[in-house]
Amino acid sequence: MSKFVITGGAKLSGEIEVRGTKNFALKIIPASLLSKEKMIVSNMPEIEDTKRSLELLSSLGSKISKDSDKYIIDNSEVKETTLSSDIAKKFRASVMFVAPLLARFGEVKFPHPGGCVIGAGSRPIDLFLEGYQALGAKVSHKDGHYIIKADKLKGCEYFFTTVSVTATESLLMAASLASGTTVLKNCAMEPEIEELAVYLNRNGAKIEGAGTPIIKIEGVKEIGAGDIEIMPDRIETGTFAIMAAATNSELLIKNCRPENVQILLEIFKKIGINFEAGEFSILIKKTEKFTSYNIKTHEYPGFPTDLQSPYTMLMTQAHGSALIHETIYDRRLLFSDLLAQMGANIIMCDPHRIVVNGPTKLQGKELTSPDLRAGITMILAGLIAEGKTTIDNIYQIDRGYEQIDSRLRSIGAKIERVTD
Ligand code: EPZ
């Protein structure tokens, strides 16, 4: 097994490039199934989850090739509509293959999707199943698999009783090839959803309102395919900004979209972290002292749950008390116990709320990465802790952050990947 070994105290400097968004790549890869034409993907993040997604796609008969840094996806020969359990259970985003297969082939068979330990139970998919039924599909369950069939999906009106990113993206894709009009209400508004709609509209779909709570889709007979460049990852952007602030370093974050992390930058202004935002870059400047600020995670454009754990770590170095309220996922605060083991002053108020008092000195520890966002947080904590920090189960980190150790070494971090 591999692990990361980090020696704390190094000052970071220089510049770091943000990679393509994991949570957009994991939608655009299955979205290629909506068309029999070729999709050409650039700026693909080379991470474990996208490798799993491409494996799953090729297990369906897709022809995937690489031309320098572009992926060419040819689904003209795809006939298989059953998702392989071995692969699908490895990551939650396997659920994104259901809508395009159902819309294009009229049937799909799949296991309950896998993924992180966060979230109540095993990450529910009730909103997806109800949405497909609203579109006229028949849903059944046998031998641990869901089977969904529909001769032809018909437009409908569907109201999401919980705001869900992947359920919004799934029903948007399914409705794009349905007959008639679909109106989705109480939709998620993440930038990745708008980006998906822009790509589909460029290739013949008729989707209005993506990025707002109400999305209207006119079903079309066929959707083409073409070039797509994966947008920069806003969670990587925010994570690197927090890392620079926590280590009191000057760091230029390049190839990013500052407007997609506006809530974090607005908080940085309030707590006194110096930075300059350009059109596609953020320069974090040295800041000796910054204060605490309460957050409550919320759907976009609110504070993203995927930045909650790095932000919680930042608050261990802030002056004052910060209430962190995680409203999206159960168990997404459990990692704070690891920070407490490193010396952080954290009070667990209830499973969704903690108070972080700072600043406190952290001590290096031997840790296990519970999920990818808590995993990167342990790396950040190791960078500021005294002494050595080792992190195992780093597959969880490699799921979402491309070559993170070599990229951090290039800006001065003392981090090594050690294989037993
Ligand atoms: C997406 O997950 C992201 N994953 C998550 O990133 C992200 O944390 C989350 O959105 C929120 O922003 C991908 O895009 C692949 P949800 P998703 O459905 O869509 C409940 C990461 O670290 N729910 O928006 O699965 C659910 O339990 C990952 O990159 C239902 O109840 O999240 C949660 O409480 C983690 N029934 C809430 O909705 C459903 O059918 C929001 O989850 C679906 C979801």
Side-chain angles (χ1 to χ4, degrees):
M1 288 291 276
S2 299
K3 55 188 169 189
F4 286 135
V5 179
I6 300 136
T7 306
K11 278 280 163 272
L12 309 183
S13 65
E15 52 189 57
I16 192 163
E17 281 227 351
V18 173
R19 292 283 194 271
T21 301
K22 166 178 89 76
N23 290 344
F24 179 61
L26 292 175
K27 295 26 174 319
I28 205 69
I29 291 168
S32 67
L33 287 162
L34 289 168
S35 175
K36 48 180 178 295
E37 292 173 19
K38 282 182 188 166
M39 177 191 270
I40 296 110
V41 187
S42 52
N43 199 33
M44 176 82 81
E46 297 291 348
I47 51 178
E48 292 304 323
D49 272 12
T50 49
K51 287 176 193 158
R52 296 299 83 75
S53 190
L54 290 166
E55 273 168 24
L56 191 53
L57 185 60
S58 57
S59 75
L60 298 173
S62 178
K63 301 268 176 295
I64 303 169
S65 54
K66 268 198 95 173
D67 172 12
S68 73
D69 68 340
K70 292 183 191 307
Y71 282 84
I72 296 125
I73 298 176
D74 176 357
N75 294 325
S76 54
E77 309 285 309
V78 169
K79 290 185 190 57
E80 182 55 66
T81 59
T82 297
L83 297 185
S84 128
S85 276
D86 304 352
I87 311 172
K89 279 188 167 300
K90 282 186 185 152
F91 65 123
R92 160 91 180 170
S94 57
V95 75
M96 295 309 303
F97 281 76
V98 174
L101 286 170
L102 180 62
R104 175 109 178 275
F105 299 100
E107 63 176 317
V108 55
K109 185 176 170 189
F110 63 102
H112 197 92
C116 306
V117 292
I118 59 171
S122 51
R123 302 286 291 276
I125 60 166
D126 54 308
L127 299 173
F128 297 76
L129 303 178
E130 287 159 16
Y132 297 136
Q133 286 169 319
L135 285 165
K138 293 273 172 291
V139 176
S140 56
H141 192 266
K142 192 162 174 278
D143 307 331
H145 281 72
Y146 298 97
I147 298 132
I148 309 183
K149 289 192 173 153
D151 297 337
K152 182 70 183 157
L153 294 174
K154 291 179 195 60
C156 70
E157 179 163 310
Y158 183 69
F159 193 99
F160 291 98
T161 47
T162 302
V163 175
S164 162
V165 175
T166 44
T168 299
E169 292 160 332
S170 293
L171 294 186
L172 175 154
M173 284 199 277
S176 60
L177 285 177
S179 59
T181 305
T182 296
V183 179
L184 303 175
K185 293 187 172 179
N186 197 25
C187 298
M189 300 190 276
E190 273 64 6
E192 294 78 29
I193 299 171
E194 192 172 355
E195 198 86 357
L196 176 64
V198 165
Y199 167 78
L200 293 174
N201 284 341
R202 204 166 56 229
N203 290 286
K206 293 197 174 88
I207 302 163
E208 283 169 33
T212 76
I214 299 179
I215 301 178
K216 188 176 168 193
I217 303 116
E218 290 296 334
V220 293
K221 283 217 175 338
E222 282 204 328
I223 291 177
D227 292 291
I228 178 72
E229 179 177 334
I230 305 287
M231 63 195 282
D233 193 316
R234 60 193 166 91
I235 303 303
E236 260 208 357
T237 304
T239 304
F240 293 148
I242 287 171
M243 174 178 67
T247 55
N248 186 14
S249 308
E250 174 153 313
L251 183 69
L252 180 63
I253 301 164
K254 293 175 72 175
N255 182 27
C256 65
R257 293 184 184 174
E259 68 274 17
N260 287 350
V261 287
Q262 187 168 0
I263 186 143
L264 181 70
L265 298 180
E266 293 302 326
I267 291 172
F268 274 17
K269 284 180 202 163
K270 283 181 186 275
I271 65 178
I273 291 173
N274 306 313
F275 70 91
E276 273 169 33
E279 197 182 356
F280 301 110
S281 65
I282 302 171
L283 175 65
I284 303 292
K285 297 177 172 176
K286 284 179 184 287
T287 306
E288 292 300 328
K289 180 178 172 188
F290 52 90
T291 55
S292 305
Y293 187 80
N294 299 346
I295 61 157
K296 180 171 162 179
T297 59
H298 192 276
E299 295 84 6
Y300 193 88
F303 197 96
T305 175
D306 294 347
L307 276 182
Q308 177 264 105
S309 49
Y311 182 84
T312 298
M313 190 285 303
L314 181 67
M315 288 298 106
T316 67
Q317 306 308 304
H319 288 253
S321 285
L323 172 65
I324 311 286
H325 185 179
E326 170 58 60
T327 68
I328 306 284
Y329 287 118
D330 297 336
R331 297 201 286 237
R332 206 167 207 182
L333 283 172
L334 293 186
F335 80 96
S336 60
D337 183 49
L338 301 175
L339 290 178
Q341 286 175 37
M342 296 176 83
N345 179 335
I346 293 180
I347 301 149
M348 176 70 86
C349 309
D350 66 38
H352 286 268
R353 265 174 287 243
I354 58 174
V355 170
V356 184
N357 297 307
T360 48
K361 267 248 156 284
L362 301 183
Q363 305 301 323
K365 279 273 179 209
E366 295 204 5
L367 306 164
T368 297
S369 166
D371 69 66
L372 74 157
R373 305 304 179 185
I376 194 77
T377 299
M378 294 304 112
I379 291 181
L380 303 190
L383 294 176
I384 60 173
E386 276 175 359
K388 269 196 190 332
T389 297
T390 60
I391 303 168
D392 62 25
N393 189 23
I394 59 175
Y395 174 84
Q396 280 301 330
I397 302 172
D398 288 334
R399 277 185 55 206
Y401 299 90
E402 183 181 326
Q403 298 173 330
I404 193 64
D405 47 322
S406 56
R407 292 163 74 198
L408 294 185
R409 274 195 300 274
S410 71
I411 55 172
K414 289 193 173 61
I415 176 171
E416 294 304 324
R417 181 186 292 259
V418 174
T419 306
D420 288 346

